[in-house]
Amino acid sequence: MKKYIYLFTILFLASLVQAQNVPFDKKLFKERKDEFKKAKQNLDMGDDIFNLYPPNFMEINEPDFINRKISYREALPLLFKANKFNPNNAELNYKIGRCYLMNIVYKDESIKHLLQAQKLNPGVAHDIQYHLGIGYHIAMKFDKAIAAFKIYKQSLVSKNPIEHDDIDKRIRECETAKSLVANPERVFIDNFGRPVNGKYPEYGAIISADESVMMFTSRRNTSTGAERQDPGMNDYYEDIYITTKEKGNWTPPKNMGSQINTEMHDATTAISPDGQRMIIYRDTKGDGNLYECVLTGSTWSKPVKMNKNINTKHHESSASYSSDGSVLYFVSNKPDGYGAHDIYVTHWDEENSEWGESQNVGPTLNTEHDEEAVFFHPDGKTLYFSSRGHKTMGNYDVFKSTLKEDDTWGIPENMGYPINTVDDDVFFVINGSGRRGYYSSFRDDGQGEKDIYQITFLGPEKPFQLSSEDNLLASVTQPLKDKVVEKKINTSSKRITILKGIITDCKTSEPVHASLELIDIDDNKTLATFESNATTGKYLVSLPSGKNYALIVRKESYLFHSENFNISDSAAYEEVEKDICLKKIEVGSVIVLKNIFYDYNKASLRDASKNELDRLIKLLNENPTIKIELSAHTDSRGSNSYNQKLSQRRAQSCVDYLIVGGIATGRLVTKGYGETQLIRTDAEIAKLTFQEEKEDAHQENRRTEFKIIEK
């Protein structure tokens, strides 16, 4: 019995020794003098770096946070070496735990060291429960995190409301995280992979509406300032890279060169939906500013600093265009906001050709905390942004808000788990369909420090069937029959049409640099003007649902080309590829006027037709020697005699309008062809399977044209 009591005593004493706090005292390490000397040197150097920025409970919102983050990362390897020599020092374990909380990849390692510090000396630091709570939060052990935060709050002597509010906020974040993790979103999150991601950090992806172009920020050895490193981050300076999708594959990223990138930091912020304009972020004097560049042919212009209504002496960090380029949302920390960084909006001033005075978007979106990384979807209704306020899981979460009919913003909605995590989730963008998103994240399958990931939204578990009435392009004139490059999808997708293609010369097939005008037919209002690319002739236009659009294409010495799109509010997302060729102003050229509308079975013109005829008047005034035949055509239904008379009266209605508009009668010939010049024959229509297709074919036959007969 004595032997067992003796053995128990030895084991008990050994356990006490094991749990005892061991100071860095050379008297305790007489047999390991050289090792102690090196460990003590590492400890002292690590302490000096650790103490550069004194600890503060407000680990995120305080001004020295970035500097502390950097210093803790630098201190960690030194303190870790000292810890390998003496793993039972409470203060050292506490500091290592604090450093791990600032580590990019191994944050959850903090718990082990903080628990060890507490075990060795429960009074090692008054805020150890606070930092344990942060560690548990990061490790997604939410109940333990909540318990630790509550213990810390109860121990507080301070009655500082800011400190109490911070703890309450962290507890709420844990409760939100528990709820979101328990009800995950139906998404796939995949590493974007090669050739975009590599061993260097990639982040800040921005995409055109059709996902054909992507720019992103990276710190690579191919950076413009790669011969030196950022002393604050011990890494290469940021540069902007570009990749394009060709035949379904992404090309190897290219540095955008010295025209865009400098030897300092250059980062992606926004690309217009058509991929022809880009906003970048630069920080040259400690105040971040936004710059804009334009794609002319295959060359990006030198970035130009945006005006004073956007940039200030404060920090402007991100921005996003509306689909028509007339609205810009951006983020700034200028002092008139609700928090540190707020979302602002500015509108393009056509009269002065500049961005107008900016306005804070208000407290529905902005909080007392930071808002960042704004992205305005091409649907013209949905705004995505990251926030430390609202109901987050922790740090920045991605939210979305929808613009209501009264032009106010709806309550922001958390995008949910696993899109959002307990760490920072920023730089979120989403494609035109709302089906795929992109952002940067640290994950186990990462290829570098952080990578770009693709999010695929799976939608409802049991999607309902598309109604046959959900016609995307219910054109009241000629329907489109061009290549559909992405089918209708029925998830919570965006209700827009992406119309894209190439504008060429009808005879030579060479690309044409043309202007495009998008018009709201019902309101008789120009919504936006665009240009096709000067080198490739490519264009892209985003058409939100619920409007009747006219698209007009113009080029000097060419006849204008018009298209009509009546997109119902219930239309699903679709990408339509339509190549347009322009005809020279020469004898024999024929143009279909796609935006001429008549009352049913009558010859009277609708008001919506007047814009199209006004364009024809302008063309005739600019070319005073040409003479045209203006003709109308019907489908084959009805008697030949009736159709011929109806078409003649319709053609005459158009000519009468031109005459009232000042065009001489002698320059105009009226002709009604009835059903004699069908584009789609009855035999061809009879072979069509669906009634909808047959109606579209009849609609194609019903048209108004003009032909140049003299020049």
Side-chain angles (χ1 to χ4, degrees), residues 611-633:
N611 274 334
E612 190 90 328
L613 291 172
D614 287 340
R615 281 185 283 275
L616 182 52
I617 290 172
K618 185 174 185 292
L619 175 71
L620 292 169
N621 285 331
E622 290 173 349
N623 300 271
T625 62
I626 67 174
K627 183 177 180 179
I628 68 168
E629 174 191 274
L630 200 146
S631 61
H633 303 258

PDB file of all heavy atoms in Angstrom, residues 611-633:
ATOM      1  N   ASN A 611     -39.963  57.703 -82.803  1.00  0.00           N
ATOM      2  CA  ASN A 611     -38.503  57.778 -82.670  1.00  0.00           C
ATOM      3  C   ASN A 611     -37.801  57.189 -83.885  1.00  0.00           C
ATOM      4  O   ASN A 611     -36.815  57.736 -84.390  1.00  0.00           O
ATOM      5  CB  ASN A 611     -38.034  57.045 -81.402  1.00  0.00           C
ATOM      6  CG  ASN A 611     -38.077  57.926 -80.180  1.00  0.00           C
ATOM      7  OD1 ASN A 611     -37.989  59.143 -80.296  1.00  0.00           O
ATOM      8  ND2 ASN A 611     -38.220  57.333 -79.013  1.00  0.00           N
ATOM      9  N   GLU A 612     -38.308  56.053 -84.355  1.00  0.00           N
ATOM     10  CA  GLU A 612     -37.691  55.387 -85.503  1.00  0.00           C
ATOM     11  C   GLU A 612     -37.816  56.260 -86.756  1.00  0.00           C
ATOM     12  O   GLU A 612     -36.864  56.420 -87.526  1.00  0.00           O
ATOM     13  CB  GLU A 612     -38.351  54.028 -85.722  1.00  0.00           C
ATOM     14  CG  GLU A 612     -37.636  53.145 -86.726  1.00  0.00           C
ATOM     15  CD  GLU A 612     -36.577  52.266 -86.086  1.00  0.00           C
ATOM     16  OE1 GLU A 612     -35.963  52.696 -85.089  1.00  0.00           O
ATOM     17  OE2 GLU A 612     -36.346  51.170 -86.583  1.00  0.00           O
ATOM     18  N   LEU A 613     -38.983  56.838 -86.957  1.00  0.00           N
ATOM     19  CA  LEU A 613     -39.185  57.692 -88.128  1.00  0.00           C
ATOM     20  C   LEU A 613     -38.391  58.990 -88.008  1.00  0.00           C
ATOM     21  O   LEU A 613     -37.910  59.522 -89.016  1.00  0.00           O
ATOM     22  CB  LEU A 613     -40.671  57.980 -88.314  1.00  0.00           C
ATOM     23  CG  LEU A 613     -41.506  56.754 -88.742  1.00  0.00           C
ATOM     24  CD1 LEU A 613     -42.987  57.079 -88.710  1.00  0.00           C
ATOM     25  CD2 LEU A 613     -41.086  56.272 -90.126  1.00  0.00           C
ATOM     26  N   ASP A 614     -38.219  59.478 -86.779  1.00  0.00           N
ATOM     27  CA  ASP A 614     -37.377  60.666 -86.584  1.00  0.00           C
ATOM     28  C   ASP A 614     -35.932  60.375 -86.974  1.00  0.00           C
ATOM     29  O   ASP A 614     -35.230  61.240 -87.515  1.00  0.00           O
ATOM     30  CB  ASP A 614     -37.447  61.140 -85.131  1.00  0.00           C
ATOM     31  CG  ASP A 614     -38.778  61.807 -84.800  1.00  0.00           C
ATOM     32  OD1 ASP A 614     -39.475  62.233 -85.736  1.00  0.00           O
ATOM     33  OD2 ASP A 614     -39.105  61.897 -83.602  1.00  0.00           O
ATOM     34  N   ARG A 615     -35.469  59.161 -86.690  1.00  0.00           N
ATOM     35  CA  ARG A 615     -34.109  58.787 -87.099  1.00  0.00           C
ATOM     36  C   ARG A 615     -34.004  58.756 -88.623  1.00  0.00           C
ATOM     37  O   ARG A 615     -32.975  59.130 -89.193  1.00  0.00           O
ATOM     38  CB  ARG A 615     -33.738  57.428 -86.494  1.00  0.00           C
ATOM     39  CG  ARG A 615     -33.326  57.492 -85.041  1.00  0.00           C
ATOM     40  CD  ARG A 615     -32.863  56.139 -84.536  1.00  0.00           C
ATOM     41  NE  ARG A 615     -33.985  55.242 -84.254  1.00  0.00           N
ATOM     42  CZ  ARG A 615     -34.648  55.217 -83.114  1.00  0.00           C
ATOM     43  NH1 ARG A 615     -34.318  56.048 -82.146  1.00  0.00           N
ATOM     44  NH2 ARG A 615     -35.637  54.366 -82.923  1.00  0.00           N
ATOM     45  N   LEU A 616     -35.058  58.294 -89.278  1.00  0.00           N
ATOM     46  CA  LEU A 616     -35.046  58.269 -90.737  1.00  0.00           C
ATOM     47  C   LEU A 616     -35.047  59.691 -91.295  1.00  0.00           C
ATOM     48  O   LEU A 616     -34.344  59.987 -92.284  1.00  0.00           O
ATOM     49  CB  LEU A 616     -36.259  57.485 -91.253  1.00  0.00           C
ATOM     50  CG  LEU A 616     -36.387  57.324 -92.764  1.00  0.00           C
ATOM     51  CD1 LEU A 616     -35.107  56.760 -93.375  1.00  0.00           C
ATOM     52  CD2 LEU A 616     -37.587  56.438 -93.113  1.00  0.00           C
ATOM     53  N   ILE A 617     -35.804  60.589 -90.673  1.00  0.00           N
ATOM     54  CA  ILE A 617     -35.801  62.002 -91.092  1.00  0.00           C
ATOM     55  C   ILE A 617     -34.394  62.578 -90.958  1.00  0.00           C
ATOM     56  O   ILE A 617     -33.896  63.276 -91.859  1.00  0.00           O
ATOM     57  CB  ILE A 617     -36.805  62.808 -90.249  1.00  0.00           C
ATOM     58  CG1 ILE A 617     -38.238  62.410 -90.620  1.00  0.00           C
ATOM     59  CG2 ILE A 617     -36.605  64.303 -90.446  1.00  0.00           C
ATOM     60  CD1 ILE A 617     -39.300  63.012 -89.713  1.00  0.00           C
ATOM     61  N   LYS A 618     -33.727  62.273 -89.843  1.00  0.00           N
ATOM     62  CA  LYS A 618     -32.368  62.769 -89.625  1.00  0.00           C
ATOM     63  C   LYS A 618     -31.422  62.235 -90.698  1.00  0.00           C
ATOM     64  O   LYS A 618     -30.588  62.973 -91.246  1.00  0.00           O
ATOM     65  CB  LYS A 618     -31.877  62.351 -88.230  1.00  0.00           C
ATOM     66  CG  LYS A 618     -30.526  62.898 -87.821  1.00  0.00           C
ATOM     67  CD  LYS A 618     -30.246  62.532 -86.360  1.00  0.00           C
ATOM     68  CE  LYS A 618     -28.948  63.163 -85.868  1.00  0.00           C
ATOM     69  NZ  LYS A 618     -27.758  62.607 -86.521  1.00  0.00           N
ATOM     70  N   LEU A 619     -31.558  60.955 -91.046  1.00  0.00           N
ATOM     71  CA  LEU A 619     -30.715  60.363 -92.082  1.00  0.00           C
ATOM     72  C   LEU A 619     -30.952  61.048 -93.426  1.00  0.00           C
ATOM     73  O   LEU A 619     -29.996  61.369 -94.150  1.00  0.00           O
ATOM     74  CB  LEU A 619     -31.019  58.862 -92.190  1.00  0.00           C
ATOM     75  CG  LEU A 619     -30.288  58.116 -93.315  1.00  0.00           C
ATOM     76  CD1 LEU A 619     -28.809  57.986 -93.000  1.00  0.00           C
ATOM     77  CD2 LEU A 619     -30.902  56.729 -93.527  1.00  0.00           C
ATOM     78  N   LEU A 620     -32.208  61.322 -93.770  1.00  0.00           N
ATOM     79  CA  LEU A 620     -32.523  61.969 -95.042  1.00  0.00           C
ATOM     80  C   LEU A 620     -32.034  63.410 -95.075  1.00  0.00           C
ATOM     81  O   LEU A 620     -31.580  63.906 -96.121  1.00  0.00           O
ATOM     82  CB  LEU A 620     -34.034  61.914 -95.288  1.00  0.00           C
ATOM     83  CG  LEU A 620     -34.603  60.507 -95.538  1.00  0.00           C
ATOM     84  CD1 LEU A 620     -36.127  60.531 -95.511  1.00  0.00           C
ATOM     85  CD2 LEU A 620     -34.097  59.946 -96.857  1.00  0.00           C
ATOM     86  N   ASN A 621     -32.078  64.094 -93.948  1.00  0.00           N
ATOM     87  CA  ASN A 621     -31.562  65.473 -93.892  1.00  0.00           C
ATOM     88  C   ASN A 621     -30.044  65.503 -94.021  1.00  0.00           C
ATOM     89  O   ASN A 621     -29.478  66.427 -94.606  1.00  0.00           O
ATOM     90  CB  ASN A 621     -31.996  66.145 -92.593  1.00  0.00           C
ATOM     91  CG  ASN A 621     -33.462  66.540 -92.604  1.00  0.00           C
ATOM     92  OD1 ASN A 621     -34.030  66.818 -93.670  1.00  0.00           O
ATOM     93  ND2 ASN A 621     -34.088  66.576 -91.438  1.00  0.00           N
ATOM     94  N   GLU A 622     -29.379  64.499 -93.455  1.00  0.00           N
ATOM     95  CA  GLU A 622     -27.919  64.441 -93.532  1.00  0.00           C
ATOM     96  C   GLU A 622     -27.444  64.021 -94.923  1.00  0.00           C
ATOM     97  O   GLU A 622     -26.290  64.261 -95.293  1.00  0.00           O
ATOM     98  CB  GLU A 622     -27.381  63.454 -92.484  1.00  0.00           C
ATOM     99  CG  GLU A 622     -27.531  63.952 -91.045  1.00  0.00           C
ATOM    100  CD  GLU A 622     -27.155  62.888 -90.026  1.00  0.00           C
ATOM    101  OE1 GLU A 622     -26.993  61.712 -90.434  1.00  0.00           O
ATOM    102  OE2 GLU A 622     -27.026  63.223 -88.831  1.00  0.00           O
ATOM    103  N   ASN A 623     -28.332  63.388 -95.700  1.00  0.00           N
ATOM    104  CA  ASN A 623     -28.004  62.939 -97.054  1.00  0.00           C
ATOM    105  C   ASN A 623     -29.097  63.459 -97.998  1.00  0.00           C
ATOM    106  O   ASN A 623     -29.978  62.696 -98.433  1.00  0.00           O
ATOM    107  CB  ASN A 623     -27.921  61.409 -97.099  1.00  0.00           C
ATOM    108  CG  ASN A 623     -26.865  60.843 -96.177  1.00  0.00           C
ATOM    109  OD1 ASN A 623     -25.706  60.685 -96.565  1.00  0.00           O
ATOM    110  ND2 ASN A 623     -27.259  60.539 -94.942  1.00  0.00           N
ATOM    111  N   PRO A 624     -29.069  64.757 -98.309  1.00  0.00           N
ATOM    112  CA  PRO A 624     -30.199  65.416 -98.991  1.00  0.00           C
ATOM    113  C   PRO A 624     -30.426  64.979-100.433  1.00  0.00           C
ATOM    114  O   PRO A 624     -31.442  65.352-101.027  1.00  0.00           O
ATOM    115  CB  PRO A 624     -29.819  66.897 -98.928  1.00  0.00           C
ATOM    116  CG  PRO A 624     -28.336  66.918 -98.778  1.00  0.00           C
ATOM    117  CD  PRO A 624     -27.985  65.700 -97.984  1.00  0.00           C
ATOM    118  N   THR A 625     -29.526  64.180-101.006  1.00  0.00           N
ATOM    119  CA  THR A 625     -29.700  63.797-102.420  1.00  0.00           C
ATOM    120  C   THR A 625     -30.362  62.440-102.582  1.00  0.00           C
ATOM    121  O   THR A 625     -30.748  62.076-103.707  1.00  0.00           O
ATOM    122  CB  THR A 625     -28.337  63.767-103.129  1.00  0.00           C
ATOM    123  OG1 THR A 625     -27.508  62.778-102.517  1.00  0.00           O
ATOM    124  CG2 THR A 625     -27.670  65.133-103.061  1.00  0.00           C
ATOM    125  N   ILE A 626     -30.476  61.673-101.498  1.00  0.00           N
ATOM    126  CA  ILE A 626     -31.002  60.317-101.678  1.00  0.00           C
ATOM    127  C   ILE A 626     -32.526  60.317-101.741  1.00  0.00           C
ATOM    128  O   ILE A 626     -33.203  61.160-101.152  1.00  0.00           O
ATOM    129  CB  ILE A 626     -30.512  59.349-100.564  1.00  0.00           C
ATOM    130  CG1 ILE A 626     -31.099  59.718 -99.195  1.00  0.00           C
ATOM    131  CG2 ILE A 626     -29.012  59.287-100.507  1.00  0.00           C
ATOM    132  CD1 ILE A 626     -30.745  58.714 -98.119  1.00  0.00           C
ATOM    133  N   LYS A 627     -33.036  59.321-102.476  1.00  0.00           N
ATOM    134  CA  LYS A 627     -34.466  59.115-102.625  1.00  0.00           C
ATOM    135  C   LYS A 627     -34.759  57.685-102.180  1.00  0.00           C
ATOM    136  O   LYS A 627     -33.990  56.766-102.479  1.00  0.00           O
ATOM    137  CB  LYS A 627     -34.879  59.314-104.082  1.00  0.00           C
ATOM    138  CG  LYS A 627     -36.363  59.189-104.359  1.00  0.00           C
ATOM    139  CD  LYS A 627     -36.652  59.482-105.839  1.00  0.00           C
ATOM    140  CE  LYS A 627     -38.142  59.358-106.154  1.00  0.00           C
ATOM    141  NZ  LYS A 627     -38.432  59.665-107.577  1.00  0.00           N
ATOM    142  N   ILE A 628     -35.856  57.504-101.434  1.00  0.00           N
ATOM    143  CA  ILE A 628     -36.126  56.176-100.889  1.00  0.00           C
ATOM    144  C   ILE A 628     -37.516  55.683-101.268  1.00  0.00           C
ATOM    145  O   ILE A 628     -38.424  56.470-101.560  1.00  0.00           O
ATOM    146  CB  ILE A 628     -35.999  56.157 -99.352  1.00  0.00           C
ATOM    147  CG1 ILE A 628     -37.127  56.982 -98.702  1.00  0.00           C
ATOM    148  CG2 ILE A 628     -34.631  56.617 -98.892  1.00  0.00           C
ATOM    149  CD1 ILE A 628     -37.237  56.774 -97.198  1.00  0.00           C
ATOM    150  N   GLU A 629     -37.642  54.362-101.278  1.00  0.00           N
ATOM    151  CA  GLU A 629     -38.953  53.721-101.341  1.00  0.00           C
ATOM    152  C   GLU A 629     -39.265  53.243 -99.936  1.00  0.00           C
ATOM    153  O   GLU A 629     -38.458  52.528 -99.315  1.00  0.00           O
ATOM    154  CB  GLU A 629     -38.925  52.529-102.292  1.00  0.00           C
ATOM    155  CG  GLU A 629     -40.237  51.738-102.290  1.00  0.00           C
ATOM    156  CD  GLU A 629     -40.123  50.420-103.021  1.00  0.00           C
ATOM    157  OE1 GLU A 629     -40.308  50.424-104.256  1.00  0.00           O
ATOM    158  OE2 GLU A 629     -39.841  49.389-102.362  1.00  0.00           O
ATOM    159  N   LEU A 630     -40.404  53.633 -99.387  1.00  0.00           N
ATOM    160  CA  LEU A 630     -40.820  53.167 -98.073  1.00  0.00           C
ATOM    161  C   LEU A 630     -41.959  52.181 -98.268  1.00  0.00           C
ATOM    162  O   LEU A 630     -42.976  52.511 -98.869  1.00  0.00           O
ATOM    163  CB  LEU A 630     -41.265  54.326 -97.187  1.00  0.00           C
ATOM    164  CG  LEU A 630     -41.249  53.988 -95.687  1.00  0.00           C
ATOM    165  CD1 LEU A 630     -40.884  55.196 -94.860  1.00  0.00           C
ATOM    166  CD2 LEU A 630     -42.567  53.405 -95.227  1.00  0.00           C
ATOM    167  N   SER A 631     -41.742  50.951 -97.791  1.00  0.00           N
ATOM    168  CA  SER A 631     -42.696  49.875 -98.066  1.00  0.00           C
ATOM    169  C   SER A 631     -43.157  49.210 -96.781  1.00  0.00           C
ATOM    170  O   SER A 631     -42.458  49.217 -95.763  1.00  0.00           O
ATOM    171  CB  SER A 631     -42.060  48.827 -98.987  1.00  0.00           C
ATOM    172  OG  SER A 631     -40.928  48.250 -98.358  1.00  0.00           O
ATOM    173  N   ALA A 632     -44.363  48.601 -96.855  1.00  0.00           N
ATOM    174  CA  ALA A 632     -44.903  47.817 -95.750  1.00  0.00           C
ATOM    175  C   ALA A 632     -45.284  46.448 -96.268  1.00  0.00           C
ATOM    176  O   ALA A 632     -45.665  46.287 -97.448  1.00  0.00           O
ATOM    177  CB  ALA A 632     -46.103  48.515 -95.133  1.00  0.00           C
ATOM    178  N   HIS A 633     -45.184  45.438 -95.374  1.00  0.00           N
ATOM    179  CA  HIS A 633     -45.440  44.050 -95.752  1.00  0.00           C
ATOM    180  C   HIS A 633     -46.322  43.404 -94.694  1.00  0.00           C
ATOM    181  O   HIS A 633     -46.259  43.748 -93.519  1.00  0.00           O
ATOM    182  CB  HIS A 633     -44.128  43.268 -95.860  1.00  0.00           C
ATOM    183  CG  HIS A 633     -43.144  43.863 -96.819  1.00  0.00           C
ATOM    184  ND1 HIS A 633     -42.929  43.358 -98.080  1.00  0.00           N
ATOM    185  CD2 HIS A 633     -42.320  44.945 -96.706  1.00  0.00           C
ATOM    186  CE1 HIS A 633     -42.012  44.091 -98.697  1.00  0.00           C
ATOM    187  NE2 HIS A 633     -41.630  45.059 -97.874  1.00  0.00           N
TER     188      HIS A 633
END
